[in-house]
Amino acid sequence: MSYQVVSNLEQVLSALKNRGENSRIIAGGTDLFLEKLPEKLLDISALAEALVIEERGGTMLIGAAVTHARAVASPLLAKKVKALTEACAQVGSPQVRNLGTLGGNVINAAPAADAAVALAALGAKAELIHYSGNTRTVEIEELYAGFNCSAIDSCQELLLRFVVNSSDSGSGSAFARLAARKSLALPLANAAAWLRVEHNCLQEVRLVVAPVKPAPTRLFKTESLLVGRPLIAESWREAAGAAMDEVEVRGSLLRCSADYRRHLIGVLVGRVLETAAGRALTAKGEA
Ligand SMILES: Cc1cc2nc3c(=O)[nH]c(=O)nc-3n(C[C@H](O)[C@H](O)[C@H](O)COP(=O)(O)OP(=O)(O)OC[C@H]3O[C@@H](n4cnc5c(N)ncnc54)[C@H](O)[C@@H]3O)c2cc1C
């Protein structure tokens, strides 16, 4: 097996181009090392362009090789994309968070991957570069081809970074999950919300839950019901009920029944909405 650590973008693209199908990108390796390894691995954990955390003209740029631990430690991310730092804080254990990356979390395509759910609620877009040099920007949901199956071929294309709009004033976000234990356990269900408030009413809402479908799942009906609603407990209760009606969940012998998961999604939806609304008011200085 060959293992190459790359430090700049040209190196990655030319390595992907020259090495063919048997080479694959690796970041933290926390998912990939559980699989049958390819002959050649291309380590992007030191790739400067994929390690950025910065705000540029109302946009947050968050590198795909940023680890969960680094995301949690970033005051800028905590201020601008709180749902993401909350999600990253709950991944695995300190060891897993020190190695595992945001890009790996999304490309691994587990249906309830914590950071992916938060990124989808934040409306993050993924920037990708093919070895030919072609670039494209896609929604998080477009990166999924099926359960545990990515639409991205990591032998040909690099997920470089995520782009999140950070210019909305009066917005807030939150993430919550429940797992069998507080660490080293995948979530039974998770939820994330991003919302914008004006005059104490909801103006825009993005609500994402998992595991429901292969990709993090937007609850469009519940979102539209919430627009224009006041920031009161009744709104969160109604949204919880609407979310339970909207989701079609599966039970699992290993995790929990479908009924319990549906109930849980309702509870988590109520929680993330209330917390995100509180944060939006604080951001506007109205709390
Ligand atoms: C014990 C344990 C506990 C865990 N707990 C959780 C948990 O609670 N919540 C959770 O969400 N996840 C959990 N995970 C899963 C895992 O840690 C995360 O999904 C992590 O974010 C994966 O990132 P990585 O950098 O290690 O990915 P890697 O293993 O390096 O890569 C994963 C996949 O993505 C591809 N890839 C990686 N980066 C890129 C890129 N930039 N461009 C293109 N392709 C890329 C690789 O080729 C591979 O196919 C756990 C894993 C373990 C082992």
Side-chain angles (χ1 to χ4, degrees):
M1 184 211 270
S2 87
Y3 196 98
Q4 184 186 354
V5 181
V6 285
S7 56
N8 66 60
L9 209 45
E10 288 95 75
Q11 259 183 351
V12 185
L13 299 184
S14 82
L16 285 176
K17 188 174 179 181
N18 298 328
R19 287 161 153 241
E21 284 177 5
N22 293 327
S23 67
R24 180 132 164 224
I25 291 167
I26 184 168
T30 60
D31 280 319
L32 197 54
F33 272 112
L34 305 178
E35 296 176 24
K36 185 171 172 287
L37 290 176
E39 280 168 31
K40 297 164 189 167
L41 286 169
L42 206 54
D43 183 331
I44 58 151
S45 58
L47 176 65
E49 292 92 335
L51 288 168
V52 290
I53 297 181
E54 64 180 68
E55 191 175 24
R56 219 185 272 169
T59 302
M60 283 300 305
L61 303 176
I62 309 166
V66 168
T67 61
H68 299 292
R70 219 181 124 218
V72 173
S74 162
L76 183 60
L77 294 185
K79 187 171 170 210
K80 297 290 180 177
V81 287
K82 186 69 181 170
L84 180 63
T85 56
E86 281 180 320
C88 292
Q90 302 208 39
V91 169
S93 62
Q95 295 90 334
V96 175
R97 292 194 289 275
N98 282 339
L99 286 172
T101 63
L102 304 181
N105 195 254
V106 176
I107 302 282
N108 187 54
D114 293 303
V117 166
L119 285 164
L122 289 161
K125 307 260 189 308
E127 288 187 356
L128 297 143
I129 307 187
H130 190 265
Y131 68 66
S132 61
N134 287 343
T135 59
R136 60 192 181 117
T137 303
V138 301
E139 309 273 344
I140 299 297
E141 292 88 336
E142 290 176 57
L143 298 172
Y144 291 75
F147 278 103
N148 297 307
C149 179
S150 178
I152 303 308
D153 180 353
S154 302
C155 302
Q156 300 199 4
E157 205 169 19
L158 169 77
L159 168 54
L160 184 63
R161 63 190 181 187
F162 300 98
V163 182
V164 183
N165 181 0
S166 59
S167 63
D168 290 310
S169 64
S171 67
S173 69
F175 170 92
R177 76 173 207 167
L178 189 84
R181 296 183 302 270
K182 287 203 167 161
S183 65
L184 281 175
L186 292 173
L188 302 176
N190 53 19
W194 172 91
L195 48 79
R196 189 171 63 77
V197 303
E198 238 177 78
H199 311 301
N200 264 337
C201 286
L202 292 161
Q203 295 300 312
E204 271 183 90
V205 183
R206 273 193 303 269
L207 193 52
V208 175
V209 297
V212 176
K213 293 180 180 159
T217 304
R218 284 274 298 271
L219 298 184
F220 290 105
K221 281 190 199 157
T222 309
E223 289 176 6
S224 56
L225 179 120
L226 281 163
V227 172
R229 298 299 307 266
L231 311 183
I232 55 173
E234 200 188 328
S235 301
W236 319 137
R237 264 199 304 275
E238 276 183 28
M244 286 166 67
D245 290 342
E246 189 172 352
V247 290
E248 276 177 42
V249 288
R250 295 185 311 168
S252 130
L253 283 175
L254 281 177
R255 307 265 188 94
C256 63
S257 68
D259 281 350
Y260 183 64
R261 183 168 273 154
R262 175 177 291 106
H263 169 78
L264 202 53
I265 284 178
V267 172
L268 295 175
V269 159
R271 278 187 202 164
V272 290
L273 287 169
E274 184 172 8
T275 308
R279 287 177 182 155
L281 288 179
T282 305
K284 278 177 90 77
E286 291 176 12

